[in-house]
Amino acid sequence: MTVSAQQPATWGGATAGVRRAMPGLAVVAGAVAVAYGVSMVSPALGPLTGAVMLGILARNLGLLWPAAEPGVAFAAKRMLRAGVVLLGLKLAIPELVQLRPVTLVIIVTTVVVTFVGTRWIGRRLGLGDDRALLLATGSAICGASAIAAMSSVVDGEDDDTATAVAMVTLYGSLAMALYPGLQGPLGLSHEEYGIWVGASVHEVAQVVAAATVVAEPALLVAVVAKLARVVLLAPLVAAVAVVRQRDGTPDGRRPLIPAFVLGFLGMMLLRSADVVPSSALSVADTASTLLLAAAMFGLGAGVRLAALARTGGRALLAGAAATVIAATTAYAGLLVARM
């Protein structure tokens, strides 16, 4: 009797919550559609970047009315985690086995050095711990997707996420344009160039663009090298979550390793077991992009440009440093591998 008496109230509360979220979710859906359409016309501007920019504009132009706030907040948190879980279906362990051990060493070393170096420089420049951490994660792993995942375990401001996304977009786009012209002067073969791009360029789309213009062998190696970096996303996020729980005030309701990280790993294992049909993988890929774009709009909507401008110059310096660290570390690894 107790269950039946409480059930209507529970369902009623859930229904009311859905109704409150609907106006904001409609706004989010429209923004994602625009961002996705723009990305199809201009691939250099991915849907995640476009969505966070639209969120920033909507907030700072006063286009978000109070009724939209619950839905926008839902997108920034719940849809973010769902998108990260589906991101695991893009990764298959057998693909990574194709890489030579020395290549894996170069990739892991580049990720570690970039992450540690960027975080250190960001702190020294006064970005704050959370902003430096997000920028370091995006620069070391996979751009906006990695920043979105890490933001789930960082209790920072939405400005921090927006700044980090802006930096990896800016410098990743510059790398996309500059890298092809550096292959000859640096004396890199197609395979070495692919490793260099995959190990150091921020976004997956930027890696593809930078490698496509050189040669197909470079593209194939670059994509696999990039996937090896993405695999490191889950352990990095989990490690940060564990450290923050240990150093902060324990919360018995929050697991040491976030559930969405475990979901990410589970999806990766499913993909590696080759039990998911290709048609389902295609749908999941699109769904992951849409969910992460929705989350990015929600995060962007939390940004106040006046506050963001106060650290803009320092963020530019930190982003440049992160890009240089990644490029030089990967290149140095290639030189050592030749010996």
Side-chain angles (χ1 to χ4, degrees), residues 104-120 136-137 139-141 199-200 228-229 232-233 235-236 322 325-326 329-330:
L104 290 173
V105 171
I106 291 171
I107 293 167
V108 172
T109 301
T110 302
V111 167
V112 172
V113 172
T114 302
F115 179 79
V116 174
T118 301
R119 197 172 180 195
W120 184 84
T137 304
S139 301
I141 305 292
S200 60
R229 288 168 67 190
L232 298 174
L233 174 62
L236 178 61
I325 290 171
T329 303

